[in-house]
Amino acid sequence: MLNENMKTIRKSKGLSQQELAVRLNIVRQTVSKWEQGLSVPDSDMLISLSKVLETPVSTLLGETVTETETDALKAISEKLEVINLQLAQRKTARRRVIHWLLILLCVSIVFVFAILLVLESPYLGWNYSDPETAVFGAAFHLFEWLFVRTAPMLLIGVIIGIFLTSA
C-alpha cells in the first residue's frame, strides 16, 4: 500500500523518481525499489518523504490513494465552460451595443442630410466682407461638401453593419 500511495502522490505532484530522489538525497533506484514494493523507507526517511510530498505519513501508510486526475480535468472543463459562457455573453452584449450605435449613426446621417436639404446652403447668401463670416462660411461649405460626398458611402456601410450585427 505504501508503494502504491507513494507512486500516486509523487505523480500527482508532478515529480519524477529522479526529482524525488534528489529532494530526499538518495539515489533514484531506492525510490524505484520503494514504489515496486521491494523495500521500504525507514522511519526517518518516511517522515522526510511525507514532507517532500506534502502528505501526512498516515496517508502514505493508509488506504489506497486514488488519482484525482479525472476530477481535476472535470473541474477544469467546468471552469472553462463557465468562462466560455461568460465570453459568449460579453460578445453578444458587445454586438448589441455596436448594433445600436450603428443604428444611431444611420439616423444621425439621415438627420444631417435632412437639415442640409432644408437649409439649402445658407452660406451662399452671407456677406463675406466680414472675415469671421468668411471663415465660418468656408468651414460650413467644406463640411457640407465633404458630408455630401462621404455620407452615402458611410450610410451604405452602416446599413450593412446593422444587418451583420443583427444576427
Side-chain angles (χ1 to χ4, degrees), residues 106-142:
C106 184
V107 169
S108 300
I109 291 170
V110 171
F111 183 71
V112 171
F113 253 122
I115 289 174
L116 290 175
L117 282 174
V118 169
L119 292 178
E120 294 180 357
S121 303
Y123 57 86
L124 294 176
W126 293 349
N127 180 8
Y128 285 96
S129 60
D130 179 29
E132 290 177 6
T133 305
V135 170
F136 185 71
F140 190 79
H141 176 68
L142 178 65

Side-chain angles (χ1 to χ4, degrees), residues 79-161:
K79 287 179 183 178
L80 285 174
E81 187 176 336
V82 169
I83 291 170
N84 283 336
L85 182 62
Q86 290 172 345
L87 289 174
Q89 288 171 344
R90 284 184 187 168
K91 184 178 180 182
T92 303
R94 192 176 308 123
R95 186 178 206 139
R96 201 174 307 129
V97 167
I98 291 172
H99 178 76
W100 285 107
L101 286 175
L102 289 173
I103 289 174
L104 181 65
L105 182 60
C106 184
V107 169
S108 300
I109 291 170
V110 171
F111 183 71
V112 171
F113 253 122
I115 289 174
L116 290 175
L117 282 174
V118 169
L119 292 178
E120 294 180 357
S121 303
Y123 57 86
L124 294 176
W126 293 349
N127 180 8
Y128 285 96
S129 60
D130 179 29
E132 290 177 6
T133 305
V135 170
F136 185 71
F140 190 79
H141 176 68
L142 178 65
F143 166 75
E144 183 182 53
W145 186 83
L146 285 173
F147 184 81
V148 168
R149 278 148 185 81
T150 60
M153 292 179 285
L154 182 62
L155 187 62
I156 291 170
V158 168
I159 291 172
I160 291 171

Side-chain angles (χ1 to χ4, degrees), residues 5-13 53 55 59-60 65:
N5 289 349
M6 190 172 75
K7 184 176 184 177
T8 303
I9 294 169
R10 175 184 60 79
K11 285 184 175 182
S12 71
K13 299 285 183 184
L53 294 177
T55 306
T59 303
L60 286 172
V65 177

Side-chain angles (χ1 to χ4, degrees), residues 24 45-58 60:
L24 293 171
M45 189 55 69
L46 195 57
I47 292 170
S48 298
L49 184 62
S50 73
K51 287 179 183 176
V52 169
L53 294 177
E54 299 171 340
T55 306
V57 174
S58 59
L60 286 172

Side-chain angles (χ1 to χ4, degrees), residues 9-70:
I9 294 169
R10 175 184 60 79
K11 285 184 175 182
S12 71
K13 299 285 183 184
L15 295 172
S16 67
Q17 286 183 344
Q18 181 64 38
E19 292 169 331
L20 180 60
V22 168
R23 290 185 184 187
L24 293 171
N25 293 324
I26 57 174
V27 293
R28 186 200 56 79
Q29 289 80 0
T30 304
V31 174
S32 177
K33 286 181 182 178
W34 291 344
E35 289 182 355
Q36 292 175 15
L38 300 175
S39 67
V40 292
D42 61 17
S43 60
D44 291 335
M45 189 55 69
L46 195 57
I47 292 170
S48 298
L49 184 62
S50 73
K51 287 179 183 176
V52 169
L53 294 177
E54 299 171 340
T55 306
V57 174
S58 59
T59 303
L60 286 172
L61 297 173
E63 297 178 12
T64 305
V65 177
T66 57
E67 291 188 38
T68 58
E69 191 172 312
T70 55

